[in-house]
């Protein structure tokens, strides 16, 4: 896929997210919208995988630690061909394979069950160790973490272990969107200097614009070439990216369109429409929705 | 004593051989590693204490030193299980599963990862280290988790067999080990099946269901009761979950009185499990030996077992009290 095609796909993923959340009536908005570009890059360019054979033994493994942003993973998986797009609208419903937080045993293609924060990097490390013991040099593990999740001690236990065993077959990426449920990360529990902390733990740190396809793909590509240390990508993202009334506002962390009305927001009943319109017209840069 | 179980003929003698239960785990793990290349071992800075050192020496490339980080211990283990390994993860029971319960719930049980959690130094018989290190709540913590198997061996030989059985069995499991030397009750020929309790001693007046080091105390108590004309049936119940309801209920129906004995909290532990079973199927006079809503403290193992009412003389006394409540007789 060209960068342009990837960008277009990411936009569709964002529209899917809005539709899913509105249909579900609950769920997280800001994180999934902010990570749509990273997930699109992973599923359509970076990962070696087979959507029609989710348990393909040679596949790369994507571990999502902050399970609450799973709507973006579901949308990217559906767009990649793992399951029909219409199943996205079953999110959070009774009997759905698309649980509110991801469950490995419910939907083929999910690699771990997550939601309770802080345990994804450790599981990714365990998977990387297993590959190492098997002498496998080709498969790669990608672990995605949120920034608020870094408050969890379990993350730093794993941050010590991965460099100890020089697990360069593992690449971690932190979604640095600067918000968590209670507010900005730096007021809830300061994380900076984030880069220096991970470097001090023995990681090779790359910082990228998490909305720039070329930078996302370039970072994962570079990570494959670095073997002396494991690589951590700090992806700077805008929470709620693509929907202006959500962008940068921590109140949209755990709420779907239509449930919250802050000063300057569209009326609740108009929010879903406004979000989809913005995405379809790229924030007014395209005049008609069908152009 | 049951003849077909090939118990140690010396078990009631003063010269009975003694060995820490955890030593059997150490031997079993090495043998499991020889039989299956997928078996790996992870430890949280207690490799010698938990007897993982034998495995680490023979299979250094399959051993992972996690450091003092029990949350990482079990979650790295979960990842390795998803990667096709059969990980045994060990620490003191107070820390694992004491500290990392949510990780066990989510990344092992809900995630259906084939991880074997090994908690050593359980019970008050840890001794001088005191209450912080005497894990009493682990059976309850693990028993309540959906799909989790809970195994509490009575001696080192049973621990060895249990380790091999767990390595071959697909599914999340908890193996509880004790620190102190414990009389070796069984022999190499004693059968062991996951999910099966065994009648070690036949009797008709009351049923004693015990696990871990308390099985020996129950056998001693039964011997003393026998001299007073009371015949106690002693059931060794190494698998607390899934509980062998057939064996326990069968005995309870014959005797009409049930005592449980464990080195842990009676709430939610073996006592809780047997009480639930009887409550559902065959309510009977019952008494539970163990710690009742209290912590341990420092002391020698013998002092503590005596202080908390876990020795044979206490069991004899409690058995007689139980019989007074049995069916109005």
């Amino acid at each position: 896929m060209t960068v342009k095609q990837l960008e277009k796909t990411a936009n569709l993923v964002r529209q899917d997210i809005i539709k899913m959340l509105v249909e579900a009536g609950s769920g997280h908005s800001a994180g999934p919208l902010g990570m749509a570009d990273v997930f699109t890059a992973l599923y359509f360019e970076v990962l070696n995988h087979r959507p029609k054979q989710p348990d393909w033994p040679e596949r790369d493994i994507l571990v999502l630690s902050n399970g609450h942003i799973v709507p973006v993973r579901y949308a990217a998986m559906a767009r990649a061909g793992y399951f029909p797009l219409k199943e996205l609208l079953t999110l959070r419903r009774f009997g759905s394979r698309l649980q509110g937080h991801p469950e490995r045993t419910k939907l083929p293609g999910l690699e771990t069950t997550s939601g309770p924060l802080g345990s994804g990097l450790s599981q990714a490390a365990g998977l990387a160790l297993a590959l190492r013991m098997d002498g496998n040099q080709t498969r790669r593990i990608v672990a995605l973490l949120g920034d608020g999740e870094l408050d969890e001690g379990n993350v730093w236990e794993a941050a010590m272990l991965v460099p100890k065993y020089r697990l360069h077959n593992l690449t971690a990426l932190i979604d640095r969107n600067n918000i968590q449920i209670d507010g900005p990360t730096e007021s809830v529990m300061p994380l900076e200097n984030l880069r220096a902390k991970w470097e001090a733990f023995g990681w090779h740190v790359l910082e990228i614009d998490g909305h720039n396809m070329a930078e996302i793909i370039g970072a994962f590509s570079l990570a494959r070439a670095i073997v002396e240390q494991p690589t951590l990508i700090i992806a700077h993202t805008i929470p709620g990216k693509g929907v202006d009334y959500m962008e940068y506002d921590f109140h949209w962390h755990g709420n779907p369109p239509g449930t919250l009305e802050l000063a300057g927001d569209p009326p609740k009943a108009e929010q879903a429409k406004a979000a989809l319109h913005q995405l379809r017209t790229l924030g007014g840069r395209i005049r008609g929705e069908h152009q | 004593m049951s003849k077909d179980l090939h118990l140690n003929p010396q078990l009631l003698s003063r010269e009975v051989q003694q060995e820490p239960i955890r030593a059997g785990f150490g031997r079993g793990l090495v043998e499991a590693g020889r039989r299956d290349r997928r078996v790996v071992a992870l430890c949280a800075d207690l490799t010698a204490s938990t007897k993982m050192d034998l495995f680490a020496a023979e299979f250094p490339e399959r051993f992972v030193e996690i450091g003092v980080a029990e949350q990482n211990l079990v979650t790295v283990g979960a990842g390795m299980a998803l990667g096709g390994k059969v990980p045994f993860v060990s620490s003191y029971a107070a820390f694992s599963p004491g500290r990392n319960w949510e990780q066990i719930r989510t990344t092992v049980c809900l995630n259906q990862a084939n991880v074997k959690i090994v908690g050593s130094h359980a019970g008050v018989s840890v001794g001088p280290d005191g209450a912080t290190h005497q894990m009493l709540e682990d059976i309850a913590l693990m028993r309540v988790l959906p799909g989790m198997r809970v195994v509490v061996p009575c001696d080192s030989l049973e621990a060895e067999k249990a380790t091999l059985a767990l390595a071959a069995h697909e599914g999340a499991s908890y193996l509880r080990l004790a620190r102190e030397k414990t009389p070796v009750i069984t022999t190499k020929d004693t059968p062991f099946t996951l999910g099966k309790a065994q009648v070690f001693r036949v009797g008709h007046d009351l049923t004693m269901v015990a696990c871990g080091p308390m099985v020996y105390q129950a056998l001693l108590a039964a011997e003393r009761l026998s001299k007073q004309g009371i015949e106690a049936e002693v059931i060794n119940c190494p698998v607390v979950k899934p509980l062998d309801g057939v064996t326990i209920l069968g005995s309870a129906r014959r005797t009409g009185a049930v005592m449980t004995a464990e080195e842990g909290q009676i709430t939610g532990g073996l006592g809780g499990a047997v009480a639930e079973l009887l409550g559902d199927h065959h309510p009977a006079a019952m008494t539970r030996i163990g710690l009742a809503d209290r912590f341990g403290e420092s002391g020698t193992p013998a002092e503590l077992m005596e202080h908390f009412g876990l020795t044979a003389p206490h069991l004899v006394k409690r058995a007689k009290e139980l019989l007074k409540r049995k069916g109005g007789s």
Side-chain angles (χ1 to χ4, degrees):
Chain A
M1 263 194 189
T2 64
V3 163
K4 253 197 161 43
Q5 287 169 321
L6 288 169
E7 286 170 351
K8 201 176 163 193
T9 305
N11 182 279
L12 293 173
V13 165
R14 287 193 167 92
Q15 294 182 41
D16 293 335
I17 291 166
I18 296 294
K19 291 176 200 164
M20 293 164 75
L21 291 173
V22 169
E23 183 69 22
S26 70
H28 297 75
S29 299
L33 289 170
M35 284 291 279
D37 302 302
V38 169
F39 270 89
T40 303
L42 285 168
Y43 274 100
F44 289 87
E45 194 63 38
V46 175
L47 294 175
N48 188 27
H49 67 127
R50 291 181 178 171
K52 298 296 178 203
Q53 191 189 351
D55 59 351
W56 181 39
E58 293 308 313
R59 73 191 185 281
D60 292 341
I61 294 181
L62 178 63
V63 175
L64 175 62
S65 188
N66 54 334
H68 61 267
I69 71 163
V70 74
V72 65
R73 182 172 195 165
Y74 292 148
M77 286 172 74
R79 289 276 161 195
Y82 279 85
F83 53 85
L85 280 169
K86 66 175 194 296
E87 191 173 350
L88 289 175
L89 297 179
T90 68
L91 172 72
R92 289 177 169 254
R93 287 238 190 102
F94 180 69
S96 174
R97 299 194 295 173
L98 278 54
Q99 294 287 296
H101 290 85
E103 283 192 39
R104 185 181 77 86
T105 56
K106 290 266 197 312
L107 181 67
L110 295 179
E111 302 285 2
T112 63
T113 293
S114 65
L117 296 169
S119 63
L121 187 56
S122 299
Q123 290 176 82
L127 282 155
L129 275 166
L131 287 181
R132 166 80 53 85
M133 286 178 186
D134 292 341
N136 188 302
Q137 309 254 350
T138 54
R139 298 178 67 194
R140 296 194 60 84
I141 312 290
V142 173
L144 302 182
L145 291 74
D147 53 1
E149 150 167 54
L150 303 180
D151 297 352
E152 294 277 8
N154 198 162
V155 174
W156 300 96
E157 295 179 357
M160 280 191 276
L161 178 112
V162 174
K164 175 193 171 188
Y165 286 99
R166 220 159 57 87
L167 298 173
H168 57 81
N169 54 349
L170 184 163
T171 305
L173 180 144
I174 292 171
D175 174 14
R176 184 68 172 122
N177 69 7
N178 301 295
I179 64 160
Q180 56 195 102
I181 296 178
D182 275 0
T185 57
E186 298 315 288
S187 64
V188 174
M189 184 53 65
L191 297 173
E192 294 297 341
N193 186 334
L194 196 54
R195 181 188 190 111
K197 281 177 180 162
W198 286 81
E199 282 176 344
F201 274 65
W203 291 70
H204 184 87
V205 179
L206 304 172
E207 287 194 68
I208 61 166
D209 172 357
H211 303 305
N212 183 313
M213 282 295 171
E215 285 193 31
I216 298 166
I217 294 163
F220 279 105
S221 173
L222 179 54
R224 295 176 80 100
I226 296 168
V227 296
E228 293 307 312
Q229 290 175 296
T231 299
L232 171 76
I233 302 167
I234 299 178
H236 295 274
T237 67
I238 297 168
K241 169 76 176 173
V243 177
D244 62 358
Y245 64 87
M246 288 186 177
E247 287 187 357
Y248 301 105
D249 193 330
F250 72 85
H251 294 98
W252 288 104
H253 168 95
N255 293 295
T259 60
L260 190 68
E261 194 176 323
L262 304 160
D265 287 356
K268 280 186 189 176
E270 304 291 319
Q271 287 174 355
K273 212 175 129 194
L276 287 172
H277 179 76
Q278 273 185 38
L279 289 165
R280 286 173 184 148
T281 61
L282 296 179
R285 278 180 282 139
I286 300 172
R287 206 166 293 163
E289 287 194 12
H290 304 291
Q291 270 176 271
Chain B
M1 295 296 166
S2 290
K3 293 261 188 308
D4 50 347
L5 294 179
H6 306 285
L7 298 181
N8 181 357
Q10 300 293 316
L11 79 90
L12 294 171
S13 133
R14 279 179 189 279
E15 281 78 45
V16 62
Q17 185 209 345
Q18 301 203 27
E19 190 184 34
I21 292 175
R22 59 197 163 116
F25 161 68
R27 285 195 300 269
L29 187 61
V30 172
E31 181 55 30
R34 289 174 187 150
R35 292 183 188 179
D36 186 348
R37 291 184 55 236
R38 298 176 305 151
V39 171
V40 297
L42 294 75
C43 193
D45 198 29
L46 290 164
T47 309
S49 290
T50 64
K51 297 294 174 193
M52 261 191 177
D53 48 356
L54 294 174
F55 185 95
E58 186 159 333
F59 305 106
E61 74 288 353
R62 279 152 63 186
F63 172 73
V64 183
E65 174 59 86
I66 297 285
V68 198
E70 296 79 16
Q71 300 175 81
N72 209 27
L73 174 75
V74 78
T75 45
V76 171
M80 296 192 79
L82 297 179
K85 302 299 175 190
V86 181
F88 281 75
V89 306
S90 78
S91 181
Y92 287 174
F95 318 138
S96 177
R99 177 166 287 192
N100 50 15
W101 185 85
E102 184 281 317
Q103 281 90 346
I104 295 170
R105 177 179 186 268
T106 307
T107 73
V108 176
C109 294
L110 188 56
N111 207 12
Q112 290 182 22
N114 185 21
V115 180
K116 318 300 177 187
I117 296 145
V118 182
S120 182
H121 292 52
V124 292
S125 60
V126 169
D129 276 344
T132 56
H133 285 51
Q134 294 164 355
M135 188 52 166
L136 306 172
E137 297 80 25
D138 51 334
I139 298 176
L141 280 175
M142 292 297 96
R143 195 169 75 79
V144 77
L145 287 171
M148 177 65 80
R149 193 169 288 259
V150 178
V151 182
V152 187
C154 69
D155 66 14
S156 57
L157 289 178
E158 192 173 70
E160 190 172 342
K161 292 172 198 157
T163 304
L164 285 165
L166 288 175
H169 164 84
E170 175 82 20
S173 309
Y174 175 56
L175 179 64
R176 181 191 219 233
L177 306 172
R179 175 183 187 276
E180 277 300 291
K181 282 187 177 176
T182 305
V184 179
I185 301 167
T186 63
T187 63
K188 286 205 179 331
D189 298 324
T190 307
F192 176 84
T193 314
L194 275 179
K196 195 104 186 67
Q198 297 162 317
V199 178
F200 273 7
R201 185 186 197 284
V202 180
H204 49 78
D205 293 318
L206 80 150
T207 301
M208 291 173 153
V209 185
C211 63
M214 291 305 291
V215 175
Y216 177 68
Q217 297 297 333
L219 287 168
L220 284 186
E223 202 59 24
R224 291 187 186 198
L225 286 165
S226 178
K227 282 173 184 149
Q228 299 171 43
I230 298 167
E231 295 302 331
E233 184 143 298
V234 177
I235 296 178
N236 172 39
C237 187
V239 185
V240 178
K241 185 185 172 187
L243 197 62
D244 180 357
V246 173
T247 300
I248 295 169
L249 284 172
S251 179
R253 287 197 173 101
R254 274 184 276 112
T255 65
V258 177
M259 168 190 280
T260 59
E262 65 199 301
E263 215 190 309
Q265 301 291 352
I266 56 174
T267 312
L270 175 68
V274 173
E276 288 164 18
L277 178 78
L278 295 178
D280 281 346
H281 300 285
H282 184 76
M286 189 178 178
T287 192
R288 292 170 293 158
I289 307 289
L291 278 88
D293 204 25
R294 59 194 295 205
F295 288 112
E297 62 181 86
S298 286
T300 65
E303 282 170 337
L304 294 169
M305 295 293 277
E306 170 64 26
H307 175 73
F308 290 108
L310 302 173
T311 53
H314 289 280
L315 269 57
V316 167
K317 188 165 153 261
R318 294 280 292 273
K320 287 182 184 165
E321 288 165 9
L322 173 67
L323 288 175
K324 283 181 199 152
R325 290 195 281 121
K326 170 183 159 181
S329 65

PDB file of all heavy atoms in Angstrom, chain A residues 65-85:
ATOM      1  N   SER A  65      -1.424  -4.221  25.144  1.00  0.00           N
ATOM      2  CA  SER A  65      -1.441  -4.207  26.608  1.00  0.00           C
ATOM      3  C   SER A  65      -2.600  -3.375  27.155  1.00  0.00           C
ATOM      4  O   SER A  65      -3.296  -3.798  28.065  1.00  0.00           O
ATOM      5  CB  SER A  65      -0.110  -3.671  27.142  1.00  0.00           C
ATOM      6  OG  SER A  65      -0.057  -3.830  28.547  1.00  0.00           O
ATOM      7  N   ASN A  66      -2.779  -2.161  26.604  1.00  0.00           N
ATOM      8  CA  ASN A  66      -3.899  -1.324  27.082  1.00  0.00           C
ATOM      9  C   ASN A  66      -5.165  -1.711  26.320  1.00  0.00           C
ATOM     10  O   ASN A  66      -5.574  -1.076  25.353  1.00  0.00           O
ATOM     11  CB  ASN A  66      -3.580   0.176  26.947  1.00  0.00           C
ATOM     12  CG  ASN A  66      -3.155   0.571  25.543  1.00  0.00           C
ATOM     13  OD1 ASN A  66      -2.638  -0.244  24.781  1.00  0.00           O
ATOM     14  ND2 ASN A  66      -3.391   1.826  25.184  1.00  0.00           N
ATOM     15  N   GLY A  67      -5.782  -2.795  26.811  1.00  0.00           N
ATOM     16  CA  GLY A  67      -6.891  -3.428  26.097  1.00  0.00           C
ATOM     17  C   GLY A  67      -8.080  -2.530  25.826  1.00  0.00           C
ATOM     18  O   GLY A  67      -8.876  -2.811  24.934  1.00  0.00           O
ATOM     19  N   HIS A  68      -8.210  -1.422  26.557  1.00  0.00           N
ATOM     20  CA  HIS A  68      -9.401  -0.581  26.386  1.00  0.00           C
ATOM     21  C   HIS A  68      -9.451   0.110  25.026  1.00  0.00           C
ATOM     22  O   HIS A  68     -10.497   0.586  24.620  1.00  0.00           O
ATOM     23  CB  HIS A  68      -9.509   0.450  27.509  1.00  0.00           C
ATOM     24  CG  HIS A  68      -8.358   1.408  27.584  1.00  0.00           C
ATOM     25  ND1 HIS A  68      -7.260   1.176  28.381  1.00  0.00           N
ATOM     26  CD2 HIS A  68      -8.126   2.586  26.968  1.00  0.00           C
ATOM     27  CE1 HIS A  68      -6.416   2.181  28.245  1.00  0.00           C
ATOM     28  NE2 HIS A  68      -6.905   3.053  27.401  1.00  0.00           N
ATOM     29  N   ILE A  69      -8.327   0.160  24.292  1.00  0.00           N
ATOM     30  CA  ILE A  69      -8.386   0.779  22.960  1.00  0.00           C
ATOM     31  C   ILE A  69      -8.680  -0.266  21.863  1.00  0.00           C
ATOM     32  O   ILE A  69      -8.509  -0.003  20.676  1.00  0.00           O
ATOM     33  CB  ILE A  69      -7.118   1.587  22.610  1.00  0.00           C
ATOM     34  CG1 ILE A  69      -5.913   0.681  22.356  1.00  0.00           C
ATOM     35  CG2 ILE A  69      -6.793   2.621  23.692  1.00  0.00           C
ATOM     36  CD1 ILE A  69      -4.777   1.410  21.618  1.00  0.00           C
ATOM     37  N   VAL A  70      -9.163  -1.421  22.272  1.00  0.00           N
ATOM     38  CA  VAL A  70      -9.363  -2.520  21.321  1.00  0.00           C
ATOM     39  C   VAL A  70     -10.306  -2.198  20.150  1.00  0.00           C
ATOM     40  O   VAL A  70     -10.193  -2.840  19.095  1.00  0.00           O
ATOM     41  CB  VAL A  70      -9.794  -3.815  22.052  1.00  0.00           C
ATOM     42  CG1 VAL A  70     -11.250  -3.733  22.513  1.00  0.00           C
ATOM     43  CG2 VAL A  70      -9.574  -5.043  21.166  1.00  0.00           C
ATOM     44  N   PRO A  71     -11.246  -1.244  20.260  1.00  0.00           N
ATOM     45  CA  PRO A  71     -12.056  -0.956  19.059  1.00  0.00           C
ATOM     46  C   PRO A  71     -11.189  -0.664  17.831  1.00  0.00           C
ATOM     47  O   PRO A  71     -11.544  -1.074  16.722  1.00  0.00           O
ATOM     48  CB  PRO A  71     -12.871   0.269  19.474  1.00  0.00           C
ATOM     49  CG  PRO A  71     -13.064   0.092  20.944  1.00  0.00           C
ATOM     50  CD  PRO A  71     -11.749  -0.490  21.427  1.00  0.00           C
ATOM     51  N   VAL A  72     -10.067   0.005  18.000  1.00  0.00           N
ATOM     52  CA  VAL A  72      -9.208   0.298  16.850  1.00  0.00           C
ATOM     53  C   VAL A  72      -8.588  -0.981  16.296  1.00  0.00           C
ATOM     54  O   VAL A  72      -8.417  -1.136  15.089  1.00  0.00           O
ATOM     55  CB  VAL A  72      -8.126   1.353  17.193  1.00  0.00           C
ATOM     56  CG1 VAL A  72      -7.141   0.862  18.226  1.00  0.00           C
ATOM     57  CG2 VAL A  72      -7.386   1.787  15.927  1.00  0.00           C
ATOM     58  N   ARG A  73      -8.294  -1.922  17.166  1.00  0.00           N
ATOM     59  CA  ARG A  73      -7.746  -3.192  16.679  1.00  0.00           C
ATOM     60  C   ARG A  73      -8.826  -3.967  15.911  1.00  0.00           C
ATOM     61  O   ARG A  73      -8.554  -4.512  14.829  1.00  0.00           O
ATOM     62  CB  ARG A  73      -7.212  -4.033  17.846  1.00  0.00           C
ATOM     63  CG  ARG A  73      -6.592  -5.347  17.375  1.00  0.00           C
ATOM     64  CD  ARG A  73      -5.895  -6.112  18.475  1.00  0.00           C
ATOM     65  NE  ARG A  73      -5.036  -7.141  17.891  1.00  0.00           N
ATOM     66  CZ  ARG A  73      -4.087  -7.789  18.545  1.00  0.00           C
ATOM     67  NH1 ARG A  73      -3.851  -7.516  19.807  1.00  0.00           N
ATOM     68  NH2 ARG A  73      -3.358  -8.700  17.946  1.00  0.00           N
ATOM     69  N   TYR A  74     -10.034  -4.034  16.489  1.00  0.00           N
ATOM     70  CA  TYR A  74     -11.126  -4.725  15.800  1.00  0.00           C
ATOM     71  C   TYR A  74     -11.334  -4.120  14.400  1.00  0.00           C
ATOM     72  O   TYR A  74     -11.484  -4.842  13.412  1.00  0.00           O
ATOM     73  CB  TYR A  74     -12.427  -4.594  16.592  1.00  0.00           C
ATOM     74  CG  TYR A  74     -12.468  -5.333  17.922  1.00  0.00           C
ATOM     75  CD1 TYR A  74     -13.209  -4.826  18.984  1.00  0.00           C
ATOM     76  CD2 TYR A  74     -11.812  -6.549  18.105  1.00  0.00           C
ATOM     77  CE1 TYR A  74     -13.299  -5.494  20.204  1.00  0.00           C
ATOM     78  CE2 TYR A  74     -11.888  -7.222  19.320  1.00  0.00           C
ATOM     79  CZ  TYR A  74     -12.634  -6.689  20.373  1.00  0.00           C
ATOM     80  OH  TYR A  74     -12.717  -7.353  21.569  1.00  0.00           O
ATOM     81  N   ALA A  75     -11.358  -2.775  14.345  1.00  0.00           N
ATOM     82  CA  ALA A  75     -11.632  -2.114  13.061  1.00  0.00           C
ATOM     83  C   ALA A  75     -10.518  -2.411  12.052  1.00  0.00           C
ATOM     84  O   ALA A  75     -10.786  -2.736  10.889  1.00  0.00           O
ATOM     85  CB  ALA A  75     -11.790  -0.611  13.272  1.00  0.00           C
ATOM     86  N   ALA A  76      -9.272  -2.344  12.511  1.00  0.00           N
ATOM     87  CA  ALA A  76      -8.150  -2.625  11.609  1.00  0.00           C
ATOM     88  C   ALA A  76      -8.182  -4.087  11.153  1.00  0.00           C
ATOM     89  O   ALA A  76      -7.907  -4.400   9.989  1.00  0.00           O
ATOM     90  CB  ALA A  76      -6.831  -2.298  12.292  1.00  0.00           C
ATOM     91  N   MET A  77      -8.528  -5.003  12.089  1.00  0.00           N
ATOM     92  CA  MET A  77      -8.603  -6.426  11.730  1.00  0.00           C
ATOM     93  C   MET A  77      -9.695  -6.666  10.691  1.00  0.00           C
ATOM     94  O   MET A  77      -9.495  -7.406   9.718  1.00  0.00           O
ATOM     95  CB  MET A  77      -8.879  -7.284  12.982  1.00  0.00           C
ATOM     96  CG  MET A  77      -7.677  -7.444  13.904  1.00  0.00           C
ATOM     97  SD  MET A  77      -8.115  -8.268  15.463  1.00  0.00           S
ATOM     98  CE  MET A  77      -8.328  -9.960  14.873  1.00  0.00           C
ATOM     99  N   ALA A  78     -10.856  -6.046  10.898  1.00  0.00           N
ATOM    100  CA  ALA A  78     -11.953  -6.232   9.939  1.00  0.00           C
ATOM    101  C   ALA A  78     -11.550  -5.684   8.574  1.00  0.00           C
ATOM    102  O   ALA A  78     -11.773  -6.321   7.541  1.00  0.00           O
ATOM    103  CB  ALA A  78     -13.217  -5.542  10.454  1.00  0.00           C
ATOM    104  N   ARG A  79     -10.934  -4.492   8.565  1.00  0.00           N
ATOM    105  CA  ARG A  79     -10.495  -3.893   7.294  1.00  0.00           C
ATOM    106  C   ARG A  79      -9.438  -4.774   6.614  1.00  0.00           C
ATOM    107  O   ARG A  79      -9.347  -4.820   5.388  1.00  0.00           O
ATOM    108  CB  ARG A  79      -9.919  -2.505   7.542  1.00  0.00           C
ATOM    109  CG  ARG A  79     -10.954  -1.465   7.931  1.00  0.00           C
ATOM    110  CD  ARG A  79     -11.636  -0.845   6.720  1.00  0.00           C
ATOM    111  NE  ARG A  79     -12.892  -0.191   7.066  1.00  0.00           N
ATOM    112  CZ  ARG A  79     -13.809   0.172   6.195  1.00  0.00           C
ATOM    113  NH1 ARG A  79     -13.640  -0.071   4.900  1.00  0.00           N
ATOM    114  NH2 ARG A  79     -14.912   0.763   6.573  1.00  0.00           N
ATOM    115  N   ALA A  80      -8.626  -5.465   7.425  1.00  0.00           N
ATOM    116  CA  ALA A  80      -7.578  -6.333   6.864  1.00  0.00           C
ATOM    117  C   ALA A  80      -8.141  -7.667   6.381  1.00  0.00           C
ATOM    118  O   ALA A  80      -7.436  -8.420   5.705  1.00  0.00           O
ATOM    119  CB  ALA A  80      -6.476  -6.571   7.904  1.00  0.00           C
ATOM    120  N   GLY A  81      -9.395  -7.978   6.778  1.00  0.00           N
ATOM    121  CA  GLY A  81     -10.020  -9.198   6.278  1.00  0.00           C
ATOM    122  C   GLY A  81     -10.143 -10.341   7.270  1.00  0.00           C
ATOM    123  O   GLY A  81     -10.427 -11.470   6.881  1.00  0.00           O
ATOM    124  N   TYR A  82      -9.946 -10.056   8.563  1.00  0.00           N
ATOM    125  CA  TYR A  82     -10.080 -11.129   9.563  1.00  0.00           C
ATOM    126  C   TYR A  82     -11.533 -11.567   9.727  1.00  0.00           C
ATOM    127  O   TYR A  82     -11.815 -12.720   9.993  1.00  0.00           O
ATOM    128  CB  TYR A  82      -9.532 -10.674  10.924  1.00  0.00           C
ATOM    129  CG  TYR A  82      -8.030 -10.781  11.043  1.00  0.00           C
ATOM    130  CD1 TYR A  82      -7.201  -9.777  10.586  1.00  0.00           C
ATOM    131  CD2 TYR A  82      -7.454 -11.910  11.624  1.00  0.00           C
ATOM    132  CE1 TYR A  82      -5.822  -9.875  10.693  1.00  0.00           C
ATOM    133  CE2 TYR A  82      -6.078 -12.024  11.746  1.00  0.00           C
ATOM    134  CZ  TYR A  82      -5.260 -11.002  11.273  1.00  0.00           C
ATOM    135  OH  TYR A  82      -3.909 -11.126  11.380  1.00  0.00           O
ATOM    136  N   PHE A  83     -12.460 -10.614   9.628  1.00  0.00           N
ATOM    137  CA  PHE A  83     -13.889 -10.933   9.775  1.00  0.00           C
ATOM    138  C   PHE A  83     -14.685  -9.830   9.073  1.00  0.00           C
ATOM    139  O   PHE A  83     -14.133  -8.767   8.758  1.00  0.00           O
ATOM    140  CB  PHE A  83     -14.282 -11.091  11.251  1.00  0.00           C
ATOM    141  CG  PHE A  83     -13.903  -9.923  12.123  1.00  0.00           C
ATOM    142  CD1 PHE A  83     -14.730  -8.815  12.224  1.00  0.00           C
ATOM    143  CD2 PHE A  83     -12.707  -9.928  12.856  1.00  0.00           C
ATOM    144  CE1 PHE A  83     -14.395  -7.741  13.030  1.00  0.00           C
ATOM    145  CE2 PHE A  83     -12.362  -8.849  13.659  1.00  0.00           C
ATOM    146  CZ  PHE A  83     -13.200  -7.754  13.751  1.00  0.00           C
ATOM    147  N   PRO A  84     -15.973 -10.058   8.829  1.00  0.00           N
ATOM    148  CA  PRO A  84     -16.763  -9.077   8.072  1.00  0.00           C
ATOM    149  C   PRO A  84     -16.912  -7.745   8.809  1.00  0.00           C
ATOM    150  O   PRO A  84     -17.046  -7.729  10.035  1.00  0.00           O
ATOM    151  CB  PRO A  84     -18.138  -9.754   7.933  1.00  0.00           C
ATOM    152  CG  PRO A  84     -17.920 -11.185   8.266  1.00  0.00           C
ATOM    153  CD  PRO A  84     -16.754 -11.256   9.184  1.00  0.00           C
ATOM    154  N   LEU A  85     -16.909  -6.666   8.040  1.00  0.00           N
ATOM    155  CA  LEU A  85     -17.031  -5.329   8.636  1.00  0.00           C
ATOM    156  C   LEU A  85     -18.288  -5.197   9.490  1.00  0.00           C
ATOM    157  O   LEU A  85     -18.285  -4.536  10.522  1.00  0.00           O
ATOM    158  CB  LEU A  85     -17.056  -4.270   7.516  1.00  0.00           C
ATOM    159  CG  LEU A  85     -15.700  -3.876   6.925  1.00  0.00           C
ATOM    160  CD1 LEU A  85     -15.916  -3.034   5.674  1.00  0.00           C
ATOM    161  CD2 LEU A  85     -14.846  -3.119   7.944  1.00  0.00           C
TER     162      LEU A  85
END
